[in-house]
Amino acid sequence: MTPADQPVLDPPALGTVPDVRLIAVDMDGSLLDDQKRIDPSFWPLLDALHERGVVLCPASGRQYATLRRQFGRDDLVYIAENGAYVVRDEQELSSDGVSRDAALPVVDAVRQLAASGADVGTVLCGKRSAYVERTDRAFVEQAEPYYARLELVEDLRAVDDEVLKLAIYDFGSAEHGAAPALARFDGPVRVVVSGEHWVDVMSPSADKGHALQAAQRALGVTREQTMAFGDYLNDLGLLQASAWSFAMDNAHPQVRAEARYVAPGNNANGVVRTIASALQLDGVLSR
């Protein structure tokens, strides 16, 4: 049976409407379909949430500038760089970066991997911009969708910016290639598989879940008033910080096991349909 032939789940039945005040939504594999599109029904849903006093929180490995451009508004809480940077109303709520002493050996290690034949490259994610020293079009095209501010530089070691994380793209399997090759750095940093081809090297305490907790504190919202959606391993903390946790139907098995519920998949507009059903906002789907 192909994915297109698989039955589409209905949103799970929650019973009574939960008192939700904050909704954290992963992007790739969750809100976005496989063509990286947001369903048009999302925008009236967002307006309905705002009218009800519910704050939406896009939570992504993407850069803050990329998320801000995509949503076009400042009243959301943006969890960027897989939790290393949290912003609302252009004000930083939290940041948790990587020291240069910890970051530069990873840069060197990826260079060595590439020299040995691995098809990999590094994005150094700073507060002002993201930076790449691998400048072939094939690699840059993989980075551009996630980093609205992206600079091509000669030497990542010479970049003068506060490092939030390092994102390593592996044209093969990140889970079986770049991640185990970088596992020896675990300790001073944390190595996280964030997608089929991406590995993030972050502060040991940087996590979407910790970032969501910072947002909860800033907004005066509890875990029981929080809903979250995710599909991949970097979303586990996000789900753990939420009482109303949903794995997408297309989620990694470990994420499905962690979540309280399973939502329809990302290609079935599962996030929007589940929120509308849970909060009884079904009218937005027909606007």
Side-chain angles (χ1 to χ4, degrees):
M1 180 180 288
T2 65
D5 297 327
Q6 292 176 354
V8 176
L9 288 181
D10 289 328
L14 306 189
T16 58
V17 178
D19 177 28
V20 169
R21 301 297 175 187
L22 178 63
I23 302 178
V25 180
D26 169 58
M27 295 292 288
D28 296 273
S30 297
L31 182 61
L32 303 182
D33 67 17
D34 286 350
Q35 284 71 51
K36 308 300 182 185
R37 300 173 302 193
I38 296 177
D39 191 274
S41 62
F42 169 78
W43 304 107
L45 175 73
L46 183 58
D47 290 337
L49 291 175
H50 181 73
E51 291 169 7
R52 190 174 283 195
V54 180
V55 177
L56 188 86
C57 175
S60 175
R62 295 171 181 236
Q63 183 185 55
Y64 164 63
T66 305
L67 294 172
R68 175 60 181 79
R69 181 179 67 181
Q70 191 158 19
F71 289 92
R73 50 198 293 174
D74 290 318
D75 59 332
L76 311 184
V77 172
Y78 293 100
I79 292 179
E81 308 288 9
N82 271 327
Y85 197 40
V86 185
V87 178
R88 189 188 193 202
D89 291 327
E90 299 185 327
Q91 300 298 311
E92 178 182 311
L93 298 184
S94 71
S95 66
D96 190 355
V98 177
S99 71
R100 292 185 65 82
D101 287 345
L104 295 184
V106 177
V107 170
D108 293 339
V110 177
R111 288 175 176 175
Q112 291 166 6
L113 271 178
S116 70
D119 198 359
V120 295
T122 299
V123 183
L124 189 151
C125 309
K127 275 195 177 181
R128 294 194 305 271
S129 180
Y131 309 86
V132 294
E133 63 184 13
R134 177 173 169 175
T135 58
D136 60 284
R137 197 63 212 156
F139 175 72
V140 173
E141 283 180 350
Q142 301 303 322
E144 283 178 333
Y146 304 98
Y147 301 99
R149 296 177 184 168
L150 183 67
E151 295 184 24
L152 280 56
V153 299
E154 291 186 2
D155 183 2
L156 289 178
R157 280 182 148 272
V159 167
D160 182 18
D161 196 353
E162 186 174 342
V163 181
L164 292 172
K165 71 170 190 186
L166 298 136
I168 294 87
Y169 187 84
D170 188 331
F171 281 88
S173 167
E175 193 169 0
H176 299 101
L182 297 173
R184 69 182 187 273
F185 292 104
D186 263 321
V189 295
R190 188 161 59 96
V191 179
V192 182
V193 178
S194 58
E196 181 181 358
H197 299 287
W198 287 100
V199 175
D200 282 352
V201 178
M202 310 170 62
S203 161
S205 54
D207 175 82
K208 285 186 181 182
H210 294 156
L212 182 57
Q213 289 169 347
Q216 289 167 336
R217 289 192 295 271
L219 297 174
V221 170
T222 67
R223 181 177 181 272
E224 288 68 32
Q225 294 173 313
T226 305
M227 183 177 286
F229 296 82
D231 77 301
Y232 216 73
L233 301 175
N234 60 322
D235 298 319
L236 288 172
L238 199 70
L239 301 184
Q240 291 161 356
S242 166
W244 302 95
S245 59
F246 295 82
M248 309 308 294
D249 192 27
N250 50 282
H252 189 286
Q254 190 174 340
V255 178
R256 290 176 68 104
E258 179 68 35
R260 184 174 178 181
Y261 302 100
V262 176
N266 67 315
N267 289 325
N269 197 22
V271 168
V272 172
R273 291 171 56 214
T274 300
I275 294 172
S277 174
L279 302 187
Q280 296 184 4
L281 297 169
D282 302 85
V284 304
L285 296 175
S286 57
R287 288 186 192 178

